[in-house]
């Protein structure tokens, strides 16, 4: 999911509205899985069709790492840039 979300943000822009939509559509379902699959972890893979059941290793470090990378690196909005665009 990480590379997909990163590519989506690069194509559609990193404005606050796009980031909010990406979080709601792609990231929040992953965060919801933190309680479902295994004690604050994410599974290695998930089914493509709803209900997206977990598969593979239930405690996969790189899956959780991608969620953290998305939140801390890819989806961070520069608040100063948002302020400057509103002032101009």
């Amino acid at each position: 999911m990480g590379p997909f979300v990163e590519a989506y943000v690069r194509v559609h822009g990193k404005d606050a509205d796009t980031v909010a939509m990406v979080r709601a559509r792609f990231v929040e379902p992953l965060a919801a899985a933190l309680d479902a699959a295994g004690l604050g972890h994410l599974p290695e893979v998930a089914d493509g069709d709803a209900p997206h059941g977990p598969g593979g290793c239930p405690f996969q470090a790189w899956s959780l790492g991608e969620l953290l990378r998305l939140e801390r690196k890819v989806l961070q909005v520069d608040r100063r840039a948002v302020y400057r665009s509103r002032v101009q």
Side-chain angles (χ1 to χ4, degrees):
M1 184 63 78
F4 169 77
V5 170
E6 186 171 8
Y8 189 96
V9 169
R10 285 185 181 190
V11 169
H12 294 280
K14 197 173 177 179
D15 58 271
D17 291 336
T18 301
V19 169
M21 187 283 300
V22 166
R23 276 200 178 103
R25 186 168 180 195
F26 305 121
V27 177
E28 287 178 14
L30 284 177
L34 290 170
D35 295 328
L39 303 173
H41 288 81
L42 291 173
E44 181 177 14
V45 294
D47 294 335
D49 296 323
H52 310 294
C57 176
F59 302 99
Q60 194 59 262
W62 56 68
S63 296
L64 186 57
E66 274 300 292
L67 180 61
L68 294 171
R69 185 182 73 85
L70 287 175
E71 278 297 339
R72 295 183 179 183
K73 300 292 184 185
V74 176
L75 298 178
Q76 285 295 323
V77 176
D78 183 0
R79 305 269 183 230
R80 292 174 294 193
V82 171
Y83 174 76
R84 283 191 299 266
S85 70
R86 289 183 181 166
V87 172
Q88 294 176 356

